[in-house]
Amino acid sequence: MSGSPGPLPRDRALAVPLLMVLAALAFLFVWLGVRAPDDRYSGNVAGIIIMIGATIACHRVSRLVEPGPVREFWRLWAGSAAALLISSISATIAMIRGDGGGAMPPYEAASNVLSLVLAMAAFRHVPLTTRTRLDWARLLLDGAAVIVAGSVFFSYVVLHAMPRGTDLATRAGAGVVGIFCLLGLVIFGRAAVSPAGRVDPVALGILALEPVIGLATVWAFLAGSDTSVLLMGYLGYPLVGLGMTAAAYRQSRVLGVEPRHLRWSFADPLQFLAVAATAVMVIMVSARDLDMRGRAVIVGAVLIAAIIVARQLLSLRENTEALRGIRRQQVELERLALTDNLTGLANRSGFNLALSERLETGLPATALFIDIDDFKMVNDTLGPAAADQLLHQVAQRLQEGAGGPAAGSLAADSAGELVARLGGDEFAIMLPSGEPAAAEHAAARFQAIIGRPVHTGEQQLLLHASVGIAIAEPGETADEVLRNADIALYAAKEAGKASWVRFEPRMRHDMAASARLAGELHDAILGGQLRLLYQPVYDLVTARMHGCEALVRWQHPERGFVSPGDFIPVAERSGLIVPLGAWVLREACTQLAEWQAALGPDAVEAVNVNVAVRQLRETGFVDEVAAVLNDTGLKPRNLILEVTESSVVDGRQVEETLSALHELGVRLALDDFGTGQSSLSLLRAFPVDVLKLDKSFVDGIADGTDRGRLAVAAAVAQLVEYLELKAVAEGIESLAQLERLRDMGYRYGQGYFMARPLPPAECAALMSAALEPAFPH
């Protein structure tokens, strides 16, 4: 998939029918100049060859474009050319049978009419501007006016001027063809100046000349001289075929290029010419059958009608100018409504509209949902103004890396990719492809684009992004495709960020199950289905219980036990982690107050409560902690809040919250220490009191085979001693691990070797029995 904008590769095969048509036409002109009087067939053969070339050209260009309205447009024109090919053959047959002399057999007229009907039907597939019922009524009235005027014109003026002896079938056939040519002028001309559409307007303009040639041919048949009948009899079909071939060749040359539409059409004044022609015929008829006074009345009535028409034309011109101004304003308002103000890209509405139009035409499409990872931290660090500047740079890079339209355009052609900003740091890209490999390659390409260093002021930043990929399936709407991409983005975030994930149907099922679980969790928080277990934290030297960590458990009335690994991520995604965390905090503090009241000095001094980053972002979290401590009668030193490294680096709001908690006197523990990428640097900025060595460094520490784990564990023990902090080793599962950690200098630890998470009563019993060692000393 190309990342640079530009037209599609040209199909050189279309030059073959064009050269064939030009060669046959050149032969025809030469033949007309030097032909023998009895040679009447060479010219017809050349015309047949030209119509074959036109049919091939229109069919070939229909194969170049992707399935949709433009392909159907050129398919119908190929059918129109094929119908004229039949007419050419019919004319040759008539000449062989001796039906020459300007005659038009019924079967030849029928083929001509069929060709015009197919050509007019083709414009039904041109994506014109949306028409209201009033617009269709106007177009119908315009066509009716032309048909009536043409019928009067051909029946009264032209047919009466034909040579005597011309059969009625020829007259009727030629008249019907002429009327359809007039109607084609209206439809072809209006389509050529349509303000929207993917068919090239120059090609439309060439095609709009075809009815003019048809009218000239009909005139030559009905009222022309022998010379004009000869010329148009041999040149009519070839000239039409040349126009079709040239239009198809022009379309093939500009595939993938934004069309520039014409501003004027000869179809606009055609209905007024119809009125004028009818008025002239009224005067001609009246001049033949009335006296001078009657003629004067008729002429006066016609002049009054002409004056009124002229007056209406002036008003129409003024209204047209006003309407153009209104349309320009409407276009600008639509652009503003569909464009993001900050970046100039399409916004969510514009993206949905473009994707919907592509899906409705049956074209393949893929949506990429891009989210810049940890952008909130960047926003908090740089400030909103600098963050907006950064987003603008990212948008420009995405646009430059996409092979689509310029910023502000909502069109995405078959070679291009539409980039949009959905809001905040979320972007979306529509790919004109349904191939998984191409979509995955594009996702990696855009990730690399975002990953290049960006500069804001004097700072250089490295960003990374997660991408969700959704390939549109038949029958899906734009909202469904974008929702699928959003689901895939969540999966990419859960996979560790800075990655891409392609949507699979099972993800929708998982998301629905997650939503159901979130609803049930909401009821569980309010309905008393949750409970807390407490895992003791032991002093590894005295073997006494030093504290305990509160762990939430869920006993579902129907599902049974629900693992925290299942419902905690759901709580974080849905926002229920805030009320869940509030319940855990109050329940744990209430339990510690009960222990202290019942056990006195035997009770542990503090309880550890895990806090999610979502809670730390809440502006009233510090006040909530203070209120819980006040309501339960605890001191701030009785509470230890455990936070992860990813929470600490979340942004300025979290940093201020942690500082306020530390000033309140609440102790802070850095959980899973050693697993992050910036653990040591955090100790300078984070007001930490306790470091909890992650279980991954405790596993296998006893056998001494993993020197890396030993080195990290020993370094953390020395660092804690130097910084005068408290270290707790997590996940101790054997006596050998305990003794090795104690020898390294670790004073505190927790794990299944000492005690599993226990209900409040069993945990209290261990506190009372702590005078006897819980493990060998």
Side-chain angles (χ1 to χ4, degrees), residues 65-248:
V65 297
E66 295 183 358
V70 180
R71 170 173 286 189
E72 295 302 320
F73 175 86
W74 285 106
R75 278 183 175 178
L76 285 169
W77 269 102
S80 177
L84 285 184
L85 173 61
I86 296 174
S87 293
S88 300
I89 297 174
S90 300
T92 304
I93 293 175
M95 184 173 295
I96 293 174
R97 293 174 55 185
D99 297 335
M104 181 178 289
Y107 45 84
E108 181 181 351
S111 299
N112 282 325
V113 171
L114 176 61
S115 175
L116 285 165
V117 170
L118 290 175
M120 287 186 282
F123 289 99
R124 178 65 180 85
H125 295 282
V126 175
L128 303 172
T129 53
T130 303
R131 292 187 183 273
T132 64
R133 291 183 178 179
L134 185 59
D135 294 329
W136 283 112
R138 290 196 187 100
L139 185 60
L140 181 61
L141 290 175
D142 290 345
V146 171
I147 290 174
V148 171
S151 300
V152 173
F153 182 78
F154 281 106
S155 64
Y156 187 80
V157 178
V158 179
L159 292 180
H160 279 283
M162 288 188 65
R164 292 185 178 182
T166 305
D167 62 277
L168 181 61
T170 297
R171 298 186 183 195
V176 171
V177 172
I179 293 171
F180 271 87
C181 286
L182 286 173
L183 186 59
L185 277 176
V186 176
I187 297 177
F188 294 11
R190 289 196 178 278
V193 294
S194 171
R198 304 303 304 167
V199 179
D200 180 66
V202 175
L204 289 176
I206 296 173
L207 294 175
L209 295 175
E210 307 295 77
V212 177
I213 300 174
L215 282 172
T217 304
V218 170
W219 179 272
F221 268 113
L222 296 180
S225 63
D226 292 340
T227 302
S228 64
V229 169
L230 174 66
L231 290 176
M232 295 310 299
Y234 287 113
L235 291 178
Y237 293 126
L239 290 177
V240 172
L242 175 63
M244 292 181 177
T245 308

Side-chain angles (χ1 to χ4, degrees), residues 731-753:
I732 301 175
E733 297 181 350
S734 67
L735 177 61
Q737 291 176 346
L738 185 150
E739 291 177 342
R740 190 62 178 266
L741 289 166
R742 187 170 55 195
D743 293 342
M744 285 182 178
Y746 283 89
R747 181 68 184 268
Y748 305 100
Q750 65 184 93
Y752 283 6
F753 173 70

Side-chain angles (χ1 to χ4, degrees), residues 189-513:
R190 289 196 178 278
V193 294
S194 171
R198 304 303 304 167
V199 179
D200 180 66
V202 175
L204 289 176
I206 296 173
L207 294 175
L209 295 175
E210 307 295 77
V212 177
I213 300 174
L215 282 172
T217 304
V218 170
W219 179 272
F221 268 113
L222 296 180
S225 63
D226 292 340
T227 302
S228 64
V229 169
L230 174 66
L231 290 176
M232 295 310 299
Y234 287 113
L235 291 178
Y237 293 126
L239 290 177
V240 172
L242 175 63
M244 292 181 177
T245 308
Y249 182 75
R250 165 65 186 184
Q251 180 71 70
S252 71
R253 299 271 296 183
V254 295
L255 288 176
V257 178
E258 187 71 20
R260 300 182 62 181
H261 298 279
L262 307 176
R263 301 176 65 94
W264 181 87
S265 169
F266 50 77
D268 292 328
L270 195 60
Q271 57 267 37
F272 298 108
L273 292 177
V275 173
T278 305
V280 170
M281 283 184 282
V282 168
I283 295 176
M284 291 174 61
V285 172
S286 63
R288 179 180 302 173
D289 300 328
L290 297 177
D291 57 15
M292 289 299 297
R293 286 180 296 180
R295 295 172 186 172
V297 172
I298 294 298
V299 171
V302 171
L303 289 177
I304 292 174
I307 294 172
I308 294 175
V309 169
R311 176 67 178 83
Q312 292 299 319
L313 286 174
L314 293 176
S315 299
L316 180 62
R317 181 177 181 182
E318 181 179 352
N319 294 338
T320 301
E321 292 297 328
L323 184 59
R324 286 176 181 172
I326 294 174
R327 285 178 176 171
R328 284 194 295 267
Q329 294 177 5
Q330 182 181 2
V331 170
E332 180 64 16
L333 289 175
E334 290 178 353
R335 187 191 66 80
L336 293 175
L338 302 176
T339 304
D340 177 61
N341 292 332
L342 176 63
T343 62
L345 301 175
N347 58 16
R348 182 180 292 271
S349 297
F351 184 83
N352 279 353
L353 178 61
L355 182 57
S356 296
E357 291 177 349
R358 188 169 183 86
L359 295 178
E360 288 173 359
T361 57
L363 296 176
T366 297
L368 304 184
F369 200 144
I370 302 176
D371 182 82
I372 301 177
D373 298 325
D374 304 318
F375 189 78
K376 186 179 185 302
M377 181 181 66
V378 177
N379 187 75
D380 292 341
T381 302
L382 300 179
D388 285 349
Q389 181 184 1
L390 187 63
L391 287 173
H392 190 269
Q393 291 186 42
V394 171
Q396 286 183 320
R397 287 188 176 185
L398 291 175
Q399 185 61 52
E400 292 169 358
S409 174
L410 301 182
D413 55 40
S414 58
E417 302 163 342
L418 175 65
V419 183
R421 178 179 177 235
L422 304 184
D425 59 329
E426 295 179 339
F427 295 86
I429 299 174
M430 182 177 68
L431 308 177
S433 170
E435 296 295 328
E440 293 169 2
H441 174 74
R445 171 162 54 89
F446 285 112
Q447 277 186 318
I449 289 173
I450 294 177
R452 297 201 303 262
V454 293
H455 299 271
T456 172
E458 299 180 354
Q459 302 186 53
Q460 176 175 292
L461 300 176
L462 288 176
L463 303 177
H464 50 85
S466 300
V467 182
I469 306 171
I471 299 175
E473 298 293 336
E476 285 186 334
T477 65
D479 288 336
E480 289 172 338
V481 175
L482 197 56
R483 183 166 63 248
N484 293 342
D486 195 11
I487 293 173
L489 177 64
Y490 268 110
K493 292 283 189 181
E494 291 182 350
K497 301 181 180 181
S499 62
W500 55 261
V501 170
R502 182 159 55 88
F503 173 80
E504 298 178 2
R506 63 171 179 79
M507 295 180 181
R508 187 185 297 113
H509 173 76
D510 295 343
M511 186 64 68

Side-chain angles (χ1 to χ4, degrees), residues 616 618-623 625-626 629 636 641 652-668 686-687:
L616 298 174
E618 298 291 318
T619 56
F621 182 69
V622 177
D623 295 334
V625 172
L629 293 175
L641 297 180
R652 184 178 303 170
Q653 176 65 40
V654 171
E655 181 181 348
E656 293 175 353
T657 299
L658 293 174
S659 298
L661 289 169
H662 193 263
E663 292 175 2
L664 182 64
V666 174
R667 287 179 286 176
L668 302 175
F686 174 56

